[in-house]
Amino acid sequence: MHRETIEPWRHDHRFLADGHEHLERRTLLVVVLTTATMIGEIVAGLLFGSMALLADGVHMATHAGALALSALAYGLARRHAGDSRLSFGTGKLGDLAAWSSALLLLLAGAGVAFESVRRLLAPATIRFGEAILVAVLGLLVNLVCALLLRDEHDHAHGHELHDHDHDRGHGHEHDGADHEHHAHTRRDHNLAAAYAHVVTDALTSLLAIAALLAGRFAGWLWLDAAVGLLGAFLIVLWAVSLLRRAGAVLLDAVPDPRLEARVRERLERDGDRVADLHLWRLGPGYLALVVSIVSDAPADPDHYKARLRDLPGLAHVTVEVHPCRPRRLAA
């Protein structure tokens, strides 16, 4: 068989998000801004004795590390997208980075909680003026970073809901349920994680400012440590959520049970039955499907693929068909 004969059946495995390189550049810029602010807040928290400010700085430090992992994942995914050693490409590198940063977040949250309890039991002197100034600067940087990432986050969300011409070349109209499934599977966890990082940072900065103002004008020194505990709780809560979402992708969990049910519905017609089905995520907006069909009147695999052609996101579909034969009874 000549090579030209099989070329129409060949395809690459570049399962990367739309605008991947642009997202990488935006994330790198946010990493630089976040790191600079993080250093200032940690140093100021130690110098001025503010646990709330220190908690915000440590929280930002963990986010800076996670954002750096996100940027690194974007870069590695782009550079190695065509590596033949990677069976399904590099689309999951962002989820791997998110899962790794979540572990760091858990450790950081535990550390902040320990220090907050220690300060609650033994309050320290706080230089409120300097601490409030640094916290406000940190909040401003967080808001700038959120705006930088929000443009891309909204742009990606718009693609999920409206850009159906890029549904992997299927060129069919989809109903509302299909649109909803595709919006779910096209979600870039790397980008969503980066956006959540800076939004959470902005929230903890607000809490730190509120605690410092209450301590300065109302004398509630205990509130500074209490806000540190609240910040630690937010860190742990976010980390657990991220571990679950990224871990599900890394373990090839079904990305959308409703889409799986819809695939079964499309295939189980005219006496055809699904004997085995595996649906998992390869990257943002890309799903793989391996299905085994048993039928009294089996058709060509392309016949069954045609039933799924207008379901968006199915980028790598493998169908095997078996004739239904009665099982032999054991002697």
Side-chain angles (χ1 to χ4, degrees), residues 272-287:
D272 301 323
R273 291 294 178 264
V274 172
D276 193 29
L277 189 153
H278 301 279
L279 179 69
W280 71 98
R281 174 178 157 130
L282 300 172
Y286 297 90
L287 300 177

Side-chain angles (χ1 to χ4, degrees), residues 184-251:
H184 179 76
T185 58
R186 288 191 66 166
R187 183 177 301 141
D188 185 342
H189 289 161
N190 211 14
L191 177 62
Y195 183 68
H197 272 301
V198 295
V199 169
T200 306
D201 277 337
L203 175 61
T204 53
S205 293
L206 282 173
L207 291 174
I209 293 170
L212 290 168
L213 289 174
R216 180 171 186 175
F217 296 107
W220 297 349
L221 300 181
W222 57 269
L223 190 58
D224 184 72
V227 166
L229 281 174
L230 179 58
F233 174 75
L234 292 176
I235 295 171
V236 172
L237 191 66
W238 190 91
V240 171
S241 175
L242 183 56
L243 279 172
R244 293 179 60 184
R245 288 185 284 113
V249 175
L250 295 175
L251 291 174

Side-chain angles (χ1 to χ4, degrees), residues 16 25 77 92 120 174 224 275 278 288 313:
L16 304 179
R25 290 192 294 270
K92 290 185 180 179
L120 194 60
H174 319 306
D224 184 72
H278 301 279

